[in-house]
Structures are given as C-alpha cells and as structure tokens.
Amino acid sequence: MANLEKLQSIISDIIAPSALAIDQNGSFPRAAINALGQAGILGLLSSKEVGGLGGNLGDAAKVIESIATHCPSTAMVLTMHYCGTAIIENLGTETLRKEIAAGHHLTTLAWSETGSRSHFWAPVGTARRQQQQFVINSSKSMVTSALEADSYIWTSKPSEGSGASTMWLVRKGTPGITMPKSFDGLGLRGNASAPMAAVEMNLPDSAMLGTDGNGFDVMIGTVLPIFCTLNASCSLGLMEAALAASIQHVTGQKFDHLQAPLADLPTIRAYIARARITADCTRTLRDDTVRALAENRPDAMLRVMQVKAASAEAALEVTETALRVCGGAAFRKDLGIERNFRDARASFIMAPTSDVLYDFIGKAVCGMPVFG
Ligand SMILES: Cc1cc2nc3c(=O)[nH]c(=O)nc-3n(C[C@H](O)[C@H](O)[C@H](O)COP(=O)(O)OP(=O)(O)OC[C@H]3O[C@@H](n4cnc5c(N)ncnc54)[C@H](O)[C@@H]3O)c2cc1C
C-alpha cells in the first residue's frame, strides 16, 4: 500500500523526534496527526469508495505497532480514531466518511462514564426525546483526544428501545458539552485525554448511529475486535522499543574491571531471553487474532479478549525487565525505558480492563455465557 510507505518518513521526521517532548509536556501530537491525515493514514480503514485506503485490521495493526515503537501516545490517538472510523463506516453519513477518508477529521470514543466506570457497555447517561430532538445528559470519565477530536462516538442509555445502550455522533463544539481539562496522567501523556460531560445536549435524530438500543451489538461486533487488536499492537510496539534499548545498553555498556559487557552476565541474558519470548508470544497471538477474525474462525472472539489481556500483562513484564537489566541508566529519562514503563501501565486499565477480560475469558472457557 503506497501510502503506508510514507508512514516511515512521518515516523522518522515527526513522530520519533517529538516523542520525548510530547511525554514531558503532555502535549497532543498535532503535527503527527496532520501528517498522517495528509498521507491518507487517518483514512486507512475507510473504504475506497469514499476515497480511503480500504485497508484491513492487519494493516492497521502494523501501523499502530510501528508508531507505538516511537510514541505510544500517538498510537493510542490513532487506535481510538480507527475504532470510531469502523462505526462511522458502517453507520455514519457519506459526508463524514469522506471527511475521514480525506484525513480532515479525527474521531474517538466517549464511552466510559463516571457512574458505570469501566463497564462501558452499561452507560447510565440518559437520552430523552424532546420534540424533534434528543436531549443527552451524561458524564464521561476519560476520553482520548477529547480536547482535539472533531467528533465523539458517544453512548447513552436507549431513549425508548430495549438494549443496554445507544450510540450517537457528537460533533466537536456541540452546545451542552463541557470539558474540564486534560489529565496529568502517568503514561500515554500526549493523548489530550479529558473527562467530558453532556448537560442537556440537544442532538438531531440524524445523530443516532444505528438504532435506539443497538449500541452493545456495535461495541462487541464492530469495535471490540479492532480495539483489542490495536491496543495489543500498541503494547507490542512499546515492548519492542524497551527491548531494543535494553539490548543496546547491555551489549554496549561494560564493566571496565572485567573487560566485559553487562550481557556477559548469564542473569542479564536470561532476563533478556524471557522478555524476548514474552514479546514474541504476544506477536504470535496478535497475528493469530488477526487471522482468526479474517477467517471468521469460531475462536475469533476468544482470541480478541485474550490478545488484549495477554499483551497488557506482557507489556508490564517486559518494561519491568528492561528497567531491571539496565539498572540506574533506565531509572533516568534518557534511555526512554522509563517512558515505556509508564506508557505500558495504561493498557490493563483501559476498558475492557484486564480483570474484566479474565472474567469473560474464564466464562468462555468454562462454557458459560460471556456477555449474558
Ligand atoms: C490512557 C487512557 C485512555 C482512555 N481513553 C478512553 C477513551 O478514549 N474512551 C473511553 O470511553 N474511555 C477511555 N478510558 C477509560 C478506560 O477505558 C476505563 O474506563 C477507565 O480507565 C477505568 O477506570 P475506572 O477507575 O473507572 O475503573 P473501575 O471500574 O473503577 O475499576 C477499578 C478496578 O476494578 C476492576 N474491575 C471492574 N469490574 C470488574 C469485574 N467485573 N471483575 C473484576 N474486576 C473488575 C478493574 O479491572 C479495575 O482494576 C481511557 C483510560 C486510559 C487510562
């Protein structure tokens, strides 16, 4: 895919050089997002009929992993955009699909709420019909790109229909939206995350994505496979970065009195070996998840849940190993491992959280209904 060749130059010219400052200042990677838009990469999952690249989940996984190797914050902004794009491709207007395909529009998911917390499938925010409009009231706990996105895929309880949730397309600046301010977070600091609230927000009928009450089906059928696979790809990218920096350090730095590099210590080599195995197992699982989905295999949804839980755990383990084998050097910020360590800590709390996934996976393997 020709446009993906441009990705490497965007990474080396824009994303990699600014990653440190983005983390330190908690600033949004606007230059990278603009460049990705111009290169068509914001429209990777948009179909060719609206001017997109018509790429698949495997393509998106490679893009996210490559970016996350240098800047996981940018990779997460793009991950949420691809999740929103998939919904808009299925349920949005042609005009909006074209805007995304052209790289002019960044979207994201506003799902998690302060009331139902990480149980994003059960929003407690309300939607009520009032004449020709719907009125939305809800409190979202944390939205990636909140301060920068052009639209939000918003969830609420259904207005009338049965089902757990309804989805809405909310444009930036819609009256009734309030956004206190972005978080000063531990990791993924450059994604302009913020809580958001809707207070008597009026939306036209046309803002409803799909039907009243069908949000859960869209979450599970459309978004979960993309989110879990790309979240895993983000974890993989930062694991590879931590491993590469560790290997460079332990092979390049030596004990002068022994005339030997740190890698001469069997203990160090064993830690590196275990981290390599963990990262490779994660990659194998990620690639198998992409295949399972493409082939519509019966185990595809199990793989989807496994890949996010396993990659989040693997990222914790590999970045901790990187800190350990590099000693004091990794405790400082210059190696980048300290940033990988902090960024790795987002994945297991991004919903569905690892503990929720363990519950779901346990139900699946015990033959119990997973989402019942
Ligand atoms: C970097 C980042 C970006 C995010 N971006 C977005 C975004 O773009 N859009 C969005 O909607 N949300 C986003 N979120 C929010 C995220 O998806 C979660 O909803 C949120 O982080 C969970 O926090 P909480 O404190 O509400 O969790 P809580 O629900 O309070 O969970 C607390 C603990 O309880 C555990 N727990 C909860 N339920 C169960 C259960 N059934 N079984 C076992 N353990 C359980 C959890 O695993 C967790 O360890 C983001 C979060 C982060 C960190």
Side-chain angles (χ1 to χ4, degrees), residues 80 109 111-112 117-119 142 144 349-351 353 355-356:
M80 302 316 277
L109 307 181
W111 289 9
S112 306
R117 311 183 70 88
S118 57
H119 298 187
M142 191 164 183
T144 296
I349 51 167
M350 289 188 79
T353 67
D355 287 319
V356 164

Side-chain angles (χ1 to χ4, degrees), residues 76 80 108-114 116-121 140-146 153 155 183 187-189 191 193-194 227 343 345-360:
M76 192 52 70
M80 302 316 277
T108 188
L109 307 181
W111 289 9
S112 306
E113 299 196 347
T114 54
S116 49
R117 311 183 70 88
S118 57
H119 298 187
F120 61 84
W121 56 88
K140 302 291 178 184
S141 57
M142 191 164 183
V143 180
T144 296
S145 309
I153 309 291
T155 49
F183 281 109
L188 295 186
R189 290 170 46 76
N191 66 2
S193 283
F227 177 68
D343 285 346
R345 269 137 188 84
S347 181
F348 78 102
I349 51 167
M350 289 188 79
T353 67
S354 293
D355 287 319
V356 164
L357 285 170
Y358 292 137
D359 183 39
F360 287 174

Side-chain angles (χ1 to χ4, degrees), residues 259-281:
Q259 288 292 306
L262 276 95
D264 243 31
L265 293 172
T267 306
I268 298 280
R269 291 200 303 276
Y271 274 123
I272 295 279
R274 284 204 289 269
R276 184 68 266 164
I277 293 167
T278 300
D280 287 348
C281 286

Side-chain angles (χ1 to χ4, degrees), residues 137-185:
N137 284 284
S138 35
S139 166
K140 302 291 178 184
S141 57
M142 191 164 183
V143 180
T144 296
S145 309
L147 304 164
E148 300 279 341
D150 300 293
S151 68
Y152 313 94
I153 309 291
W154 198 280
T155 49
S156 72
K157 286 166 84 163
S159 110
E160 287 158 5
S162 58
S165 67
T166 297
M167 286 196 189
W168 309 89
L169 189 276
V170 176
R171 292 271 187 173
K172 177 182 193 160
T174 300
I177 291 185
T178 58
M179 251 186 279
K181 64 175 185 145
S182 57
F183 281 109
D184 187 9

Side-chain angles (χ1 to χ4, degrees), residues 120-139:
F120 61 84
W121 56 88
V124 292
T126 56
R128 73 170 194 277
R129 159 77 71 196
Q130 190 168 286
Q131 293 155 354
Q132 298 311 308
Q133 298 203 306
F134 288 97
V135 182
I136 313 288
N137 284 284
S138 35
S139 166

Side-chain angles (χ1 to χ4, degrees), residues 208-280:
M208 189 187 286
L209 293 164
T211 53
D212 199 19
N214 80 333
F216 184 79
D217 292 344
V218 177
M219 287 173 178
I220 303 303
T222 303
V223 179
L224 199 65
I226 298 176
F227 177 68
C228 290
T229 307
L230 299 188
N231 191 285
S233 302
C234 193
S235 292
L236 250 182
L238 66 86
M239 275 188 258
E240 291 295 353
L243 258 170
S246 306
I247 292 167
Q248 190 177 20
H249 183 81
V250 301
T251 55
Q253 299 298 312
K254 57 179 186 166
F255 295 106
D256 284 344
H257 62 299
L258 301 175
Q259 288 292 306
L262 276 95
D264 243 31
L265 293 172
T267 306
I268 298 280
R269 291 200 303 276
Y271 274 123
I272 295 279
R274 284 204 289 269
R276 184 68 266 164
I277 293 167
T278 300
D280 287 348

Side-chain angles (χ1 to χ4, degrees), residues 319-334:
T319 55
E320 177 144 346
T321 296
L323 268 187
R324 186 184 284 246
V325 298
C326 295
F331 202 70
R332 301 192 308 261
K333 291 192 182 281
D334 42 313

